[in-house]
Amino acid sequence: VILADSQLKGKGRLGRTWVSPPGLNIYMSIVLKPLIELTDATLITIMAAVACSIALRKISGLEITIKWPNDLMFQNRKIGGILTELKSELKKIVFVVVGIGINVNSELKDFPEDIRNMATSLRNETKKSFSRTEIIIELLNELNKWYAVLVSNRKIIIDKWKELSSTIGRKVKIISGQETLEGIAEDINEKGILILKLRTGEQKKIVSGDLIVSL
């Protein structure tokens, strides 16, 4: 486990920047060597999202939900994110780095103006300050628990993810490269891939992309 008090080049998905001021939030990376197939790598992000959502609910009392594929949300605002990167050889996973960023004690003024209507923090929602150490301990406990479940019974993780998800059943737009798709986020399959039901009734498997929920 690697912890940082701040980051000069905090990284989000698709090359974006993760704002990382000192003394306020959680920026952590965990190195894993999972005994799963490379084709199941998405399940690492699914597992981490479940663990983080449960841990944050326990600590804060807020109903933290998961937006596919990797966002931790509270009432349509992003409170945290997960970035999973891996090294593979011969279709086998050598190791995975799970990066987790949680907005803990940031106030709205700490966020850049262009994301203030999209981001939030535990403190902003509860009007209380939190111990980052306490949250990190809870996160690691839940990650340890759900990592063991991932290896033994992934269906439990998929079912829990669906229970905690704010995506399933919603009308969404997905931007993937040059392609934009709209439809209902119907399900995720046993590999954590999103099943999108298009207006034509066709079901399409979405491996990655930017997901926007229609409000």
Side-chain angles (χ1 to χ4, degrees):
V1 178
I2 302 163
L3 295 167
D5 186 56
S6 65
Q7 298 176 119
L8 298 178
K9 295 182 179 180
K11 188 165 66 170
R13 287 179 69 244
L14 307 175
R16 293 174 182 143
T17 299
W18 185 271
V19 179
S20 313
L24 296 173
N25 303 318
I26 291 171
Y27 321 109
M28 62 189 291
S29 294
I30 301 167
V31 181
L32 302 173
K33 295 183 178 180
L35 298 174
I36 61 174
E37 298 298 320
L38 181 58
T39 53
D40 293 335
T42 301
L43 291 172
I44 299 290
T45 303
I46 296 294
M47 177 277 298
V50 166
C52 289
S53 174
I54 291 171
L56 294 178
R57 284 175 175 229
K58 285 182 178 179
I59 293 290
S60 70
L62 299 173
E63 288 196 7
I64 306 298
T65 59
I66 305 165
K67 188 182 86 168
W68 185 92
N70 68 331
D71 290 344
L72 300 166
M73 309 291 292
F74 181 72
Q75 296 182 348
N76 297 313
R77 286 176 177 256
K78 188 169 178 176
I79 209 162
I82 297 158
L83 180 65
T84 304
E85 297 182 320
L86 62 82
K87 177 178 174 57
S88 63
E89 291 179 358
L90 302 175
K91 297 185 179 180
K92 295 289 185 181
I93 296 174
V94 179
F95 64 83
V96 177
V97 179
V98 181
I100 298 170
I102 309 290
N103 296 330
V104 180
N105 291 318
S106 286
E107 297 183 65
L108 283 186
K109 65 179 176 59
D110 298 313
F111 296 114
E113 284 189 24
D114 60 335
I115 65 169
R116 285 179 190 171
N117 65 333
M118 298 181 285
T120 190
S121 69
L122 298 181
R123 178 176 180 173
N124 188 56
E125 296 299 336
T126 63
K127 312 307 177 192
K128 296 188 299 184
S129 294
F130 289 86
S131 161
R132 289 182 293 169
T133 301
E134 184 182 358
I135 294 173
I136 289 165
I137 290 169
E138 195 64 52
L139 286 171
L140 292 175
N141 284 339
E142 288 295 333
L143 284 162
N144 188 54
K145 169 186 170 182
W146 288 99
Y147 184 58
V149 174
L150 172 66
V151 176
S152 63
N153 191 341
R154 66 185 56 178
K155 183 180 185 303
I156 294 175
I157 290 180
I158 295 291
D159 289 346
K160 195 65 178 178
W161 188 95
K162 292 178 187 179
E163 180 186 321
L164 297 168
S165 171
S166 57
T167 301
I168 301 303
R170 303 287 293 276
K171 184 179 178 181
V172 300
K173 178 189 293 185
I174 294 174
I175 303 168
S176 182
Q178 301 299 313
E179 186 178 36
T180 299
L181 299 168
E182 293 188 51
I184 302 295
E186 196 165 58
D187 203 357
I188 61 167
N189 68 12
E190 73 282 354
K191 293 185 180 293
I193 294 169
L194 184 70
I195 308 300
L196 181 70
K197 186 175 183 179
L198 304 178
R199 291 172 177 171
T200 60
E202 177 191 354
Q203 288 185 325
K204 193 170 181 70
K205 293 179 180 179
I206 309 295
V207 177
S208 64
D210 261 355
L211 183 145
I212 301 165
V213 175
S214 301
L215 301 177

